[in-house]
């Protein structure tokens, strides 16, 4: 599916043959979508107002996400966009030179009220996030890295099947992040 970016446009995403969810485009220029805690076995949604559905997370995506996972654009009378405020804080991963993995740790940055500041230019709210002091914040906020279709689909299917969000990239950047979650 091809789609031009339009703020608040809602798309149906197909995660597998029997699993669908919805994504809402965020402000133009941010290349971010908001995903919601709603999954269906069929592409039937009427009527739905996303303002009353819990947001899972807002993440930057590449065009491939809409191209590969997008089924169609939802009609305005079928699904109303959510009105929750834009999530302005993201985790900007820090470079990890001289090792096999390019990032280690990160900082919490403020991208502005509508994501108008690029994460690499955004002011730091917390310069060095650590598991000991900031585990809850690391779990709560998303990485500024762009997600592809496979990564996003796998995360959403995991949420549907297991009931919690597991981001394998975040787990590599902050080793041991999910150890407490897996023990539950």
């Amino acid at each position: 599916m091809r789609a031009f970016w339009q703020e608040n446009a809602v798309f149906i995403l197909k995660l597998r043959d029997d699993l669908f969810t919805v994504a809402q485009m965020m402000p133009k220029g941010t290349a971010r979508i908001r995903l919601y805690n709603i999954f269906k076995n069929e592409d039937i949604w009427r009527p739905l107002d996303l303002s009353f559905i819990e947001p899972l997370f807002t993440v930057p995506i590449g065009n491939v996400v809409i191209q590969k996972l997008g089924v169609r654009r939802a009609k305005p009378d079928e699904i109303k966009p959510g009105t929750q405020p834009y999530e302005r804080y993201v985790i900007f991963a820090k470079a990890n030179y001289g090792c096999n993995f390019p990032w280690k740790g990160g900082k919490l940055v403020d991208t502005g009220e509508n994501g108008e500041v690029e994460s690499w230019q955004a002011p730091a709210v917390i310069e060095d996030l650590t598991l000991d002091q900031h585990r809850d914040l690391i779990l709560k906020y998303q990485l500024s890295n762009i997600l592809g279709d496979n990564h996003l689909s796998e995360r959403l299917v995991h949420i549907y099947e297991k009931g919690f969000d597991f981001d394998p990239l975040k787990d590599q950047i902050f080793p041991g992040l999910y150890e407490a979650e897996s023990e539950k």
Side-chain angles (χ1 to χ4, degrees), residues 56-74:
L56 290 171
F57 48 78
T58 301
V59 289
I61 61 163
N63 289 336
V64 69
V65 169
I66 301 297
Q67 291 169 357
K68 299 246 176 136
L69 300 179
V71 175
R72 65 184 177 84
R73 183 181 291 218

Side-chain angles (χ1 to χ4, degrees), residues 13 15 23 33 35 57 59 61 65 69 147-158:
L13 302 182
L15 305 176
I33 58 171
L35 287 303
F57 48 78
V59 289
I61 61 163
V65 169
L69 300 179
L147 297 186
D149 58 308
N150 290 334
H151 185 125
L152 183 61
S153 179
E154 288 170 7
R155 273 183 74 184
L156 291 168
V157 168
H158 188 274

Side-chain angles (χ1 to χ4, degrees), residues 2-123:
R2 290 188 52 102
F4 295 100
W5 204 268
Q6 182 181 353
E7 185 173 340
N8 291 325
V10 177
F11 287 86
I12 310 303
L13 302 182
K14 184 176 183 178
L15 305 176
R16 60 183 193 209
D17 286 341
D18 65 342
L19 188 60
F20 298 84
T21 192
V22 296
Q24 178 179 333
M25 291 181 168
M26 293 288 96
K28 192 170 184 165
T30 65
R32 292 178 183 271
I33 58 171
R34 177 176 290 145
L35 287 303
Y36 292 86
N37 194 8
I38 186 164
F39 300 93
K40 300 267 187 168
N41 297 111
E42 295 180 290
D43 180 14
I44 302 171
W45 304 92
R46 282 182 203 222
L48 181 64
D49 184 343
L50 293 177
S51 295
F52 298 103
I53 306 296
E54 173 192 12
L56 290 171
F57 48 78
T58 301
V59 289
I61 61 163
N63 289 336
V64 69
V65 169
I66 301 297
Q67 291 169 357
K68 299 246 176 136
L69 300 179
V71 175
R72 65 184 177 84
R73 183 181 291 218
K75 296 175 184 150
D77 64 337
E78 176 184 31
I79 303 176
K80 293 172 101 177
T83 58
Q84 297 92 340
Y86 184 82
E87 182 50 69
R88 62 191 298 156
Y89 302 108
V90 297
I91 298 171
F92 186 78
K94 293 188 173 188
N96 185 24
Y97 299 106
C99 293
N100 293 340
F101 191 69
W103 303 295
K104 178 79 170 168
K107 59 184 177 178
L108 187 66
V109 299
D110 183 351
T111 62
E113 190 173 315
N114 293 305
E116 62 272 7
V117 181
E118 293 291 335
S119 57
W120 59 274
Q121 292 179 316

